[in-house]
Amino acid sequence: MLVTQQPVLRRFWYALMPIHQLDDGPQPFTLLGENLVLWKKQDGTPAALRDRCCHRTAKLSKGFVEGDHIVCGYHGWTYDCGGSCVRIPQNPDGNIPAGAKVPSFHCQEKYGYVWVALEDPLRDIPHFPEDGAPGYRRIFQFYEEWKTSPVRVMENAFDNSHFSFVHKANFGDIDQPVPQKYEIHDTDYGFQAETLVPIKNPPAGHRVTGTTTPMTQRHLTNRYYLPFSRRFGCQYPDSGIDHIIYNCATPISDDRLMLVQWLYRNDSEEQCSTQELIDWDAAITAEDRDILEATDFDACIDTTRRQEFHMPSDRPGLMIRKQLLDLLKAHGEEEVHRGNRRIPIHPVAA
């Protein structure tokens, strides 16, 4: 599936960047192939427009913020949060051409990030119940551009069969390649998948897991949020520690995404420091990134096309593909892929 060619995907919220990045002025971001400019208004809330001045097409992200408005750095044309031009410095009489406007987009801050929906959203931003809950701390872990597609990231997140191989250097046990099965339930946001997974517990992970035994377990209560968000709900039963990760695989283009990752823990900084937790998950995430960037980004969601073979442990990934395909069909779309797209794909330059 080529995500930029599926209009319905524009009707969901995506996490773009930490809100504090807007303290330095307007910032550019490309979402589903749409070039955006983001900035922070006087009340601290974000705004988003297309990153093109309607005068001579200069990028508004090269400009500056003035009150609640954004000013083009080329000739000073000034726009409000709705995209309307409200000032042309070269016209002292205040005359503004009819229709002088650039498109605006739904934009809000949540969980410390700027979220954008390009068109009227079908659903709310996913709910993270641990955020602000007593006993939990929030840690911003990753904000990285990956050369793959969000479908690949989402299905990998529910794939227990890759642990023994991709993660054999830390918690995976290559001598035990048969994965634990999930108990899966459909939900109004996607699905929930629960299982108990035995893992290796090397000394480097003792403070992360809260136990020193050579082997321990993860009780996983994972959730998939249509289209490209997920919860890794990990509890270590031996210690009672929660290690809960939320990801948003924000599509930049058909073959690029921004991986955003939050972590919630119910322990203290003294028990396991923020840096230890970032370093631990960074090593694991880097292994996922390395293998996913070696896959074909044009993941087939219509399995009747028989582009890939499958095994029983692929069930969560197949459910993701089916829910995405059902979403397209419900909005009168079919899967667009390399085989039926007339215009050649031009990947974003490195």
Side-chain angles (χ1 to χ4, degrees):
M1 178 174 70
L2 304 179
V3 293
T4 65
Q5 305 303 305
Q6 309 290 174
V8 70
L9 296 179
R10 296 169 61 90
R11 300 189 63 187
F12 289 88
W13 290 100
Y14 300 98
L16 270 56
M17 66 178 61
I19 186 73
H20 67 76
Q21 289 196 10
L22 302 186
D23 293 341
D24 297 328
Q27 299 295 322
F29 193 94
T30 302
L31 175 61
L32 286 165
E34 184 84 54
N35 293 321
L36 311 178
V37 57
L38 311 170
W39 77 95
K40 187 183 288 187
K41 296 181 286 184
Q42 294 182 95
D43 63 2
T45 60
L49 299 179
R50 180 172 290 165
D51 196 10
R52 287 292 182 197
C53 179
C54 68
H55 173 225
R56 287 295 180 267
T57 74
K59 290 190 173 184
L60 294 172
S61 56
K62 296 291 187 180
F64 56 93
V65 177
E66 191 174 77
D68 284 349
H69 300 154
I70 188 165
V71 182
C72 180
Y74 195 7
H75 296 94
W77 285 38
T78 303
Y79 299 87
D80 65 16
C81 301
S84 295
C85 181
V86 296
R87 178 174 177 262
I88 298 175
Q90 295 78 15
N91 291 354
D93 59 358
N95 182 43
I96 296 173
K101 188 172 183 177
V102 296
S104 63
F105 304 99
H106 301 275
C107 186
Q108 64 174 279
E109 181 273 333
K110 198 163 189 178
Y111 313 127
Y113 268 74
V114 180
W115 294 72
V116 168
L118 297 176
E119 296 181 14
D120 292 344
L122 294 171
R123 300 183 180 185
D124 293 334
I125 295 171
H127 176 52
F128 302 174
E130 297 80 15
D131 197 83
Y136 284 94
R137 52 185 171 133
R138 177 178 67 190
I139 296 171
F140 296 138
Q141 286 195 307
F142 308 117
Y143 172 68
E144 298 179 341
E145 185 175 321
W146 287 20
K147 299 176 184 178
T148 187
S149 67
V151 176
R152 294 297 187 196
V153 171
M154 288 295 103
E155 64 183 8
N156 177 75
F158 292 88
D159 177 14
N160 287 343
S161 64
H162 81 281
F163 295 164
S164 299
F165 298 91
V166 176
H167 303 305
K168 60 183 180 294
N170 38 62
F171 69 88
D173 186 355
I174 199 167
D175 295 323
Q176 298 294 331
V178 179
Q180 300 298 309
K181 293 182 179 180
Y182 278 114
E183 181 178 335
I184 303 179
H185 303 284
D186 287 324
T187 65
D188 59 356
Y189 52 77
F191 63 77
Q192 177 169 294
E194 187 172 1
T195 190
L196 198 63
V197 178
I199 64 166
K200 291 191 302 184
N201 187 32
H206 288 176
R207 282 164 60 85
V208 176
T209 64
T211 182
T212 60
T213 57
M215 295 289 295
T216 189
Q217 292 182 318
R218 285 175 168 175
H219 179 194
L220 301 181
T221 307
N222 298 340
R223 296 173 188 152
Y224 167 64
Y225 301 91
L226 192 73
F228 304 131
S229 296
R230 69 107 180 195
R231 175 190 196 257
F232 172 76
C234 171
Q235 183 185 65
Y236 294 104
D238 291 343
S239 64
I241 289 177
D242 288 342
H243 189 95
I244 298 171
I245 290 171
Y246 288 90
N247 293 112
C248 187
T250 299
I252 295 172
S253 61
D254 291 319
D255 64 343
R256 300 277 181 112
L257 61 86
M258 188 66 73
L259 183 74
V260 180
Q261 182 161 313
W262 300 260
L263 170 67
Y264 295 89
R265 294 272 295 196
N266 63 343
D267 61 349
S268 66
E269 185 73 12
E270 291 70 31
Q271 288 175 280
C272 193
S273 71
T274 294
Q275 194 58 54
E276 285 177 279
L277 293 166
I278 291 174
D279 291 345
W280 173 257
D281 282 330
I284 296 169
T285 306
E287 293 167 342
D288 285 320
R289 178 179 182 175
D290 184 61
I291 201 70
L292 290 178
E293 289 187 342
T295 65
D296 182 354
F297 67 87
D298 187 10
C300 170
I301 65 167
D302 182 356
T303 56
T304 63
R305 293 199 289 120
R306 300 184 63 82
Q307 297 296 302
E308 301 173 0
F309 292 91
H310 309 287
M311 56 187 177
S313 59
D314 293 327
R315 183 188 171 201
L318 293 173
M319 290 182 66
I320 290 170
R321 295 182 186 208
K322 183 180 184 303
Q323 290 194 8
L324 287 168
L325 187 61
D326 288 346
L327 172 70
L328 299 186
K329 290 179 178 178
H331 291 269
E333 299 179 33
E334 63 175 9
E335 179 189 11
V336 179
H337 53 86
R338 275 192 299 255
N340 66 3
R341 188 186 180 195
R342 296 179 180 178
I343 303 173
I345 300 171
H346 298 288
V348 175

